[in-house]
Amino acid sequence: MLLDLSEEHKEHLAFLPKVDSAVVAEFGRIAVEFLRRGSNPKIYEGAARKLSVSSDTVQHGVEGLIYLLTESSKLMISELDFQDSVFVLGFPEELNKLLLQLYLDNRKEIRTILNELAPDLPSYHSLEWRLDVQLASRSLRQQIKPSVTIKLHLNQNGGHNTHVLQTDPATLLHLAQQLEQALEEVKTNHCRRVVRNIK
């Protein structure tokens, strides 16, 4: 699977062939450090002074490299696919090999960092429900007013959360239909491709 780089990312990466391979390796180290600890403008300014370019140019070059490495790691693309993706950029062979080595050396660490950054969403544990029907009240002798009470148990961060929901059967039926429709849509080829690219 090849990476689809936008024109903007190609422009950001176009700075890399203009500098020495040691500088590109340093940019790779800065990119991984950026993922670990966040952005540090002083690093960009220092590198810009040494290279006699603007700090924005350095920042864009590092950000382009970050995008290339994170997307490649996220999709776990093979060495050959990575080389083909970078080949499209028209870089010299030496730079392509350096970028491949950067990717191979850091992909596991980048995936670990990305997994740590992913939000911890609640997951289903169990569900209890009860159907209540009010048949009459003091003011109305004959009325039928059904309601469904749902107690939803969720797991999050190693603990349990409980949510109590109450609705009428018509709304619950509509909700069930919408969820079934969403599940059917997940089975389409388009959604499968999207999910595969997310992993």
Side-chain angles (χ1 to χ4, degrees), residues 97-135:
K97 287 180 181 175
L98 180 63
L99 290 174
L100 175 64
Q101 196 58 46
L102 268 173
Y103 168 63
L104 294 176
D105 291 346
N106 296 303
R107 69 178 167 189
K108 288 181 182 173
E109 183 179 359
I110 291 171
R111 281 188 66 83
T112 304
I113 292 168
L114 292 175
N115 283 336
E116 290 170 3
L117 294 175
D120 185 24
L121 300 174
S123 61
Y124 172 82
H125 178 69
S126 65
L127 177 86
E128 300 173 38
W129 61 275
R130 183 179 73 220
L131 177 65
D132 294 321
V133 180
Q134 184 176 354
L135 298 174

Side-chain angles (χ1 to χ4, degrees), residues 9-52:
H9 289 114
K10 288 178 183 177
E11 286 175 23
H12 290 174
L13 291 169
F15 174 67
L16 297 179
K18 299 174 185 173
V19 296
D20 191 55
S21 59
V23 174
V24 175
E26 182 64 17
F27 279 6
R29 188 194 63 76
I30 292 170
V32 174
E33 198 65 29
F34 175 92
L35 287 172
R36 272 194 221 118
R37 297 199 177 100
S39 179
N40 187 351
K42 291 179 182 177
I43 292 175
Y44 299 138
E45 291 168 8
R49 275 194 302 275
K50 288 178 186 174
L51 298 171
S52 301

Side-chain angles (χ1 to χ4, degrees), residues 11-190:
E11 286 175 23
H12 290 174
L13 291 169
F15 174 67
L16 297 179
K18 299 174 185 173
V19 296
D20 191 55
S21 59
V23 174
V24 175
E26 182 64 17
F27 279 6
R29 188 194 63 76
I30 292 170
V32 174
E33 198 65 29
F34 175 92
L35 287 172
R36 272 194 221 118
R37 297 199 177 100
S39 179
N40 187 351
K42 291 179 182 177
I43 292 175
Y44 299 138
E45 291 168 8
R49 275 194 302 275
K50 288 178 186 174
L51 298 171
S52 301
V53 294
S54 70
S55 63
D56 283 343
T57 305
V58 173
Q59 183 176 355
H60 290 320
V62 171
E63 287 173 354
L65 198 54
I66 289 170
Y67 180 80
L68 180 70
L69 293 173
T70 54
E71 288 301 306
S72 302
S73 299
K74 199 185 305 180
L75 299 173
M76 284 299 287
I77 62 175
S78 66
E79 290 182 37
L80 185 63
D81 286 343
F82 184 86
Q83 287 175 327
D84 290 343
S85 299
V86 174
F87 181 77
V88 173
L89 299 171
F91 291 164
E93 188 64 31
E94 182 186 342
L95 181 57
N96 289 348
K97 287 180 181 175
L98 180 63
L99 290 174
L100 175 64
Q101 196 58 46
L102 268 173
Y103 168 63
L104 294 176
D105 291 346
N106 296 303
R107 69 178 167 189
K108 288 181 182 173
E109 183 179 359
I110 291 171
R111 281 188 66 83
T112 304
I113 292 168
L114 292 175
N115 283 336
E116 290 170 3
L117 294 175
D120 185 24
L121 300 174
S123 61
Y124 172 82
H125 178 69
S126 65
L127 177 86
E128 300 173 38
W129 61 275
R130 183 179 73 220
L131 177 65
D132 294 321
V133 180
Q134 184 176 354
L135 298 174
S137 66
R138 288 184 184 169
S139 57
L140 291 170
R141 297 260 186 234
Q142 291 184 339
Q143 73 171 7
I144 298 176
K145 187 178 175 187
S147 68
V148 179
T149 305
I150 301 169
K151 194 173 189 181
L152 183 62
H153 301 276
L154 302 173
N155 294 330
Q156 187 173 18
N157 297 330
H160 296 290
N161 294 334
T162 303
H163 300 280
V164 179
L165 311 165
Q166 191 169 23
T167 185
D168 61 294
T171 305
L172 186 61
L173 183 62
H174 177 70
L175 179 65
Q177 289 170 345
Q178 291 298 312
L179 290 173
E180 286 173 1
Q181 184 180 351
L183 285 173
E184 287 299 318
E185 192 165 325
V186 167
K187 294 176 185 175
T188 63
N189 288 335
H190 175 71

